Amino acid sequence: MQLTHFRVTNYRNVQDSGWVKLNRVTAFVGQNEAGKSNLFEALCQLNPFVTTQAYNVDEDWPVDDWGNKDPAAIVCQAKFALDPADVTSLQAAAGAPEMAAPFASELVLLASRSYAAQPSFVLEGERAAEFDAAKVDAWAKEKAPKFVYIRDYELAGTQIELNHLAERHRTLDWNELTNEEQTLKIVLDLAKIDINEFLAKGASPSGRTSRSFDKRAASSYLSKQFCELWTQKKVNFHIEIDGTTLNIFAEDEAVGMPVRLHRRSSGFRWHVSFAWKFTHASQGRYKGCVLLLEEPGIHLHHAGQRDLLEVFERLSATNTILYTTHLASMIDPTYPERVCVVETHGNHTTAKLGVVSKQRAPMAVVELALGLSGDTSALFASRQTLIVERADEALVLHKLSGILRGQGRIHLSDKIYLWAARGAMSTPMYASFATGQRWDSGVLLDSDPEGHAAKRKIEELMTTQPEEHKSVKFRVLMLGPAAGLRRADAAIEDLFEDEFYVNCVNAAFGLSIKESELPTGGSDMITKRVEAVLVRRYGHNELDRRRVMNELVRRFDTWRKTTDLPRGTAEKAEKLFSTINDAYSGGQD
């Protein structure tokens, strides 16, 4: 069962958020006080993991509409898509007849909750009436994902008394435990340590010996789990128990000396807590839940934030993850469909999926993620913009255009500004942003599998744009056909003859590869053919294109006219620039 949409109404500064479309991972971006937390708090209480949570009409009703306070008013609704297993289970529970897959796929579970009532569920779809409504509600209350709202992650790492933790865990609900206690209980659960059994083992010499082996096994397991999520350095953890006192030590492999966890940086402790807590999310208490995360990663270095996005990717297999952020580095340009912009209109909050907004404040984070500032954004708006996959691609195109211009031949129009993305799979986010800003724009993609995948994603995004943006023209150009290259696959390097590129590879790597050694089967891109030789004969994992590009740039400095270029390059570049210029109908300056 997958959460696909939600809507918040009559809650604090959210008069009506509108229906917000979601993905397995969605980042909510907006300025402070925009209402991101209010959206999450309202959504969390729709079907909360902690069943005692509820709305309070005397505290949560919008202050600018206080005279119309209504306990019966709906606060939050959500839609869940049902998978085939859900439909089968629902049919068995609600007594509906068998139905073909097309009908089953149209069924949607709608959850609602008002100020005064408990959550309720109804089925929507062409044949929803065939199900017993009361049984649907009962089934959904058992099966629908619970919502978990998490604001506090950091683990202090100080010592804890196991007997005290055991007593609190026995007498209190989970939500009444502190974050420290919850995290340490999760650590013990992950390590398969039963607190009471551990305490009992400490009462005898044989028990203490057995407990020593348990500690080592648990420490090894936790170290392995953490290192899968934290790539910055290898760290080993040691659980030490003296009597009833538990301490956790962290040892950098390069240093070889364990240090108590509370002596490590706040960012490191944050990641420790997060890694262990959300490993548990995919395996135990929170499995299947919708996780609402408030500003995750704010204490982490940029590399740690990228690790965190990888954690989200893994967790999305078992959990839906929604998170708020002010950090450009917590937005993955590969997934523009995962960005939800939170806007304010007359002090009221709305939200919509996509990197499109007329408001500057929420878009500042998106612009920074795309390498823009206010000045460059304004510059792009007054120019024709062509998105290219990488900065080195823009460098090659600028150099070739300059040489052709100097010879009076067709070159890239001066009206067209090259905007470098971060690889093919990030170009859809750049494309979505450009059309959202109503720029006169397009994209040039390599004619390879990644380029074609990006093309499909861009075309899909264009069909989901708001109506006012669908009239904006956006060109998608594939490099091979645009340059007249007779290759199934082509990238910027294929503008040069194969012999020249192989020479650059040899100079960059100190090798003596011959063109005749390149494979003829598989991809016909020169980079892929060279990579095959490097992997097969020289033990490389892949071709470092940047390393070769550095050699290519060095040779750029010796080129002044078209006769200096490798054979056929001028003609290919001229064809490419002609195609680009014609696509923009801007002619040549």
Side-chain angles (χ1 to χ4, degrees):
M1 192 181 306
Q2 174 62 40
L3 175 67
T4 61
H5 298 78
F6 79 95
R7 182 181 188 181
V8 176
T9 52
N10 308 304
Y11 188 79
R12 299 180 186 172
N13 73 331
V14 189
Q15 191 174 61
D16 186 350
S17 68
W19 279 105
V20 183
K21 185 179 179 181
L22 301 170
N23 286 286
R24 296 289 303 189
V25 179
T26 307
F28 285 72
V29 178
Q31 67 191 94
N32 289 331
E33 299 295 312
K36 301 187 298 296
S37 297
N38 289 341
L39 290 173
F40 276 25
E41 290 188 20
L43 180 57
C44 173
Q45 294 172 80
L46 173 66
N47 191 35
F49 180 84
V50 179
T51 56
T52 55
Q53 291 180 337
Y55 306 121
N56 186 336
V57 70
D58 293 322
E59 292 184 3
D60 298 330
W61 189 268
V63 294
D64 55 357
D65 191 38
W66 201 255
N68 295 314
K69 188 166 54 172
D70 180 9
I74 295 294
V75 179
C76 190
Q77 296 174 287
K79 295 180 181 180
F80 297 88
L82 304 182
D83 61 32
D86 294 325
V87 174
T88 300
S89 172
L90 182 56
Q91 286 173 323
E98 293 293 326
M99 59 179 62
F103 288 105
S105 65
E106 294 173 2
L107 295 174
V108 173
L109 188 66
L110 176 67
S112 303
R113 189 173 188 181
S114 67
Y115 276 103
Q118 291 297 307
S120 63
F121 298 85
V122 297
L123 202 59
E124 294 184 333
E126 186 176 339
R127 298 182 62 179
E130 299 179 24
F131 292 80
D132 183 295
K135 291 180 178 178
V136 168
D137 184 62
W139 175 86
K141 284 176 178 174
E142 178 185 351
K143 301 293 187 180
K146 300 292 185 180
F147 291 82
V148 180
Y149 186 22
I150 301 175
R151 306 173 182 83
D152 185 17
Y153 311 86
E154 187 175 333
L155 179 66
T158 54
Q159 66 187 36
I160 191 166
E161 296 300 318
L162 284 178
N163 54 348
H164 178 67
L165 177 60
E167 176 64 18
R168 284 180 57 79
H169 183 256
R170 185 181 65 82
T171 58
L172 298 177
D173 290 336
W174 177 259
N175 62 298
E176 295 179 286
L177 299 176
T178 67
N179 177 67
E180 186 88 359
E181 291 168 336
Q182 287 182 1
T183 305
L184 285 171
K185 181 62 173 66
I186 284 171
V187 167
L188 297 176
D189 288 348
L190 285 174
K192 301 189 181 338
I193 293 175
D194 180 272
I195 299 178
N196 295 318
E197 182 182 340
F198 237 50
L199 290 171
K201 285 183 176 179
S204 67
S206 61
R208 287 192 292 272
T209 300
S210 174
R211 188 167 72 172
S212 177
F213 285 108
D214 291 342
K215 288 187 302 181
R216 293 182 182 181
S219 299
S220 176
Y221 173 78
L222 292 173
S223 299
K224 180 177 182 295
Q225 290 296 117
F226 182 74
C227 288
E228 288 180 356
L229 303 176
W230 174 276
T231 62
Q232 297 178 61
K233 60 174 69 173
K234 180 74 183 301
V235 179
N236 293 315
F237 290 91
H238 304 282
I239 295 175
E240 296 294 339
I241 299 177
D242 185 2
T244 63
T245 302
L246 180 145
N247 280 292
I248 298 177
F249 291 80
E251 175 189 343
D252 290 359
E253 193 173 71
V255 177
M257 181 65 185
V259 177
R260 282 181 61 188
L261 186 57
H262 80 285
R263 297 293 186 188
R264 302 298 294 260
S265 69
S266 59
F268 179 82
R269 295 198 310 273
W270 187 98
H271 210 297
V272 168
S273 175
F274 188 92
W276 288 342
K277 183 175 289 186
F278 292 104
T279 297
H280 196 55
S282 63
Q283 298 175 3
R285 186 179 295 270
Y286 294 153
K287 184 176 181 179
C289 289
V290 177
L291 304 178
L292 309 174
L293 312 180
E294 187 80 33
E295 294 292 337
I298 198 164
H299 296 298
L300 298 179
H301 179 268
H302 179 270
Q305 291 161 2
R306 306 318 291 178
D307 281 350
L308 189 56
L309 291 177
E310 287 294 324
V311 176
F312 290 171
E313 195 65 31
R314 298 182 198 183
L315 276 175
S316 66
T318 54
N319 301 81
T320 296
I321 301 164
L322 314 181
Y323 66 99
T324 66
T325 189
H326 296 95
L327 303 173
S329 49
M330 284 298 295
I331 296 177
D332 191 338
T334 307
Y335 300 105
E337 69 275 16
R338 294 182 178 179
V339 177
C340 183
V341 175
V342 179
E343 300 180 335
T344 55
H345 300 274
N347 297 319
H348 293 145
T349 295
T350 62
K352 57 184 178 182
L353 196 69
V355 292
V356 178
S357 175
K358 295 180 180 179
Q359 297 189 352
R360 293 292 303 167
M363 290 303 291
V365 176
V366 176
E367 290 183 2
L368 188 58
L370 298 177
L372 290 172
S373 65
D375 292 340
T376 54
S377 184
L379 171 65
F380 284 12
S382 64
R383 305 289 292 274
Q384 294 174 320
T385 302
L386 179 65
I387 301 162
V388 294
E389 291 188 12
R390 303 173 304 278
D392 53 16
E393 187 170 342
L395 180 65
V396 170
L397 294 175
H398 278 305
K399 179 63 178 181
L400 295 177
S401 180
I403 293 174
L404 289 169
R405 178 204 302 271
Q407 299 286 291
R409 297 175 63 170
I410 297 173
H411 58 278
L412 186 67
S413 168
D414 289 340
K415 295 179 181 179
I416 298 174
Y417 191 95
L418 298 183
W419 187 18
R422 302 171 188 173
M425 295 313 296
S426 69
T427 57
M429 184 166 184
Y430 287 72
S432 184
F433 181 91
T435 55
Q437 300 300 309
R438 305 184 69 85
W439 292 351
D440 187 7
S441 55
V443 63
L444 177 65
L445 297 167
D446 290 350
S447 306
D448 61 0
E450 291 79 10
H452 287 291
K455 179 177 183 288
R456 290 191 295 272
K457 193 169 190 177
I458 290 170
E459 290 171 345
E460 179 183 339
L461 286 170
M462 294 303 148
T463 64
T464 60
Q465 290 276 38
E467 286 299 323
E468 64 269 25
H469 296 132
K470 287 184 178 178
S471 60
V472 179
K473 185 175 182 180
F474 187 85
R475 305 107 173 138
V476 179
L477 304 174
M478 304 306 292
L479 190 141
L485 302 179
R486 296 179 180 178
R487 299 189 178 198
D489 299 340
I492 196 71
E493 292 88 349
D494 292 291
L495 293 178
F496 306 100
E497 61 178 343
D498 291 352
E499 182 183 4
F500 168 79
Y501 190 75
V502 171
N503 287 338
C504 289
V505 171
N506 287 333
F509 290 89
L511 302 174
S512 56
I513 300 172
K514 296 181 176 61
E515 186 182 353
S516 60
E517 297 176 285
L518 301 182
T520 55
S523 173
D524 50 6
M525 287 174 63
I526 184 60
T527 54
K528 294 297 184 184
R529 297 171 68 201
V530 167
E531 184 174 69
V533 175
L534 288 175
V535 171
R536 185 180 69 250
R537 290 186 53 190
Y538 297 100
H540 290 264
N541 293 324
E542 60 182 5
L543 169 65
D544 186 345
R545 293 173 69 172
R546 289 183 177 274
R547 188 168 171 180
V548 184
M549 189 58 66
N550 287 337
E551 174 63 24
L552 185 60
V553 169
R554 187 184 67 79
R555 301 187 184 201
F556 275 0
D557 294 337
T558 66
W559 298 346
R560 297 290 182 270
K561 51 188 182 297
T562 54
T563 54
D564 295 330
L565 298 176
R567 186 174 58 253
T569 296
E571 290 72 24
K572 296 172 188 173
E574 200 168 30
K575 167 62 175 171
L576 175 60
F577 294 139
S578 178
T579 302
I580 294 171
N581 294 340
D582 288 346
Y584 282 82
S585 300
Q588 178 106 65
D589 293 333

